[in-house]
Amino acid sequence: MSNLGTAIAEARDTIVHALGPAPRIAIVLGSGLGSLADSLNESRSIQYAAIPGFPRSTAPGHAGRLVSGRLGNVPVLCMQGRFHVYEGWEPSQIAFPVRVMRALGVEIIILTNAAGGVNLDYRPGDFMLIRDHINLSGRNPLVGPNDETIGPRFPDMSKAYDPALRQVAHQAAASLGTALHEGVYAWFLGPSFETPAEIRMARLLGADAVGMSTVPEVIAAVHCGLRVLGISCITNMAAGILDQPITSEEVLEISERRKPAFEALLRGIVMQLASL
Ligand code: HPA
């Protein structure tokens, strides 16, 4: 087995030992959304620090542990706290937990984030299902030698965000009466927020929302054969749209305020997914 394969297997075994066998569905909780993991029933957790090979998250609003439990009676595995390239992690380090999920037997990964609204029809507090992304960071977790046992050298990204899962998400949102946009997420490296000119550029390129996460995980997930669903909570209008500065306090405040609705949406989605 490759060094990477061995490292993934070690992390997997540590997690199985602590949490038991993994469920089919994993959820990566974005900025301000981490407390969803605290509301799981019959939960068990393990700190990232106790898992060999895992990075440790440092961003505000991010704890650092893996929690398994039931959401709306559906078994899920939550990453409470995620890793960002702006923290100094290599994109390949961010890929590692995603690959471990795959090795655990996870089939579907739901990635959530806080994002800035680029589409002028969006409002802070809105939710957006990610249809596709634009990688404006110049970084990619698959750079370097490829391990063919994990996935192909040149993975196809034409349906990175699983169309059938998106349909399920729309159904879940509709039955809750929750408005759900669908749009394109552009990944900027951060940690500075974008400039107004960058946001005008992103809009010209077809972006509806911008953020500093998710894309490296999605690339790693597609590479290793996970089905992906991505959901953004629009926490602010992106730079230059309103005549006011963007602050991380605002991002956390809006994601906090929208947390009950976001959790309800996630619960609705996993309940529909469980019956697939
Ligand atoms: N830009 C980048 N990332 C973000 C934003 C933003 O405006 N809001 C929340 N995350």
Side-chain angles (χ1 to χ4, degrees):
M1 205 187 287
S2 65
N3 289 342
L4 180 58
T6 307
I8 291 170
E10 271 180 41
R12 177 200 61 204
D13 293 347
T14 304
I15 294 165
V16 170
H17 186 71
L19 305 182
R24 284 174 60 217
I25 303 172
I27 307 176
V28 178
L29 298 166
S31 298
L33 303 165
S35 66
L36 174 80
D38 299 326
S39 66
L40 298 182
N41 294 318
E42 299 167 35
S43 70
R44 296 165 76 172
S45 70
I46 180 171
Q47 298 290 326
Y48 292 160
I51 308 172
F54 258 54
R56 297 169 195 204
S57 79
T58 60
H62 292 264
R65 54 185 200 143
L66 209 53
V67 187
S68 73
R70 288 177 177 272
L71 177 64
N73 218 32
V74 181
V76 294
L77 182 64
C78 287
M79 276 187 70
Q80 194 178 33
R82 70 133 58 86
F83 309 104
H84 305 85
V85 178
Y86 67 72
E87 293 171 276
W89 301 108
E90 287 299 322
S92 59
Q93 291 176 293
I94 294 170
F96 184 76
V98 175
R99 292 167 165 171
V100 171
M101 305 250 186
R102 183 74 177 119
L104 282 162
V106 168
E107 296 167 13
I108 293 171
I109 186 164
I110 303 176
L111 295 138
T112 68
N113 61 46
V118 172
N119 186 320
L120 298 173
D121 293 333
Y122 292 4
R123 293 289 170 267
D126 286 357
F127 299 132
M128 185 192 89
L129 196 59
I130 306 179
R131 182 192 317 125
D132 201 350
H133 72 229
I134 304 174
N135 182 353
L136 293 173
S137 75
R139 308 296 303 273
N140 191 302
L142 307 182
V143 169
N146 186 57
D147 184 334
E148 290 286 333
T149 64
I150 297 174
R153 171 75 291 186
F154 301 109
D156 174 42
M157 295 294 289
S158 51
K159 288 185 179 162
Y161 299 83
D162 193 292
L165 298 187
R166 278 188 274 138
Q167 206 178 341
V168 167
H170 280 302
Q171 281 163 3
S175 64
L176 289 164
T178 301
L180 183 60
H181 302 296
E182 186 173 300
V184 173
Y185 176 93
W187 177 29
F188 281 84
L189 189 56
S192 48
F193 286 114
E194 301 73 28
T195 64
E198 287 165 345
I199 293 304
R200 288 194 299 274
M201 174 191 77
R203 189 179 303 116
L204 274 173
L205 296 179
D208 297 290
V210 291
M212 305 176 192
S213 70
T214 305
V215 169
E217 290 109 310
V218 170
I219 295 170
V222 170
H223 179 244
C224 69
L226 287 166
R227 298 174 73 190
V228 172
L229 193 64
I231 313 172
S232 298
C233 176
I234 306 297
T235 52
N236 57 282
M237 295 312 289
I241 296 176
L242 306 174
D243 189 18
Q244 63 187 51
I246 297 165
T247 65
S248 61
E249 288 77 16
E250 175 190 20
V251 168
L252 291 179
E253 184 194 316
I254 299 294
S255 60
E256 183 71 30
R257 181 152 66 72
R258 293 297 283 154
K259 206 156 54 185
F262 204 79
E263 292 188 8
L265 179 59
L266 280 173
R267 197 177 309 115
I269 290 171
V270 301
M271 285 168 70
Q272 295 240 5
L273 289 177
S275 61
L276 273 190

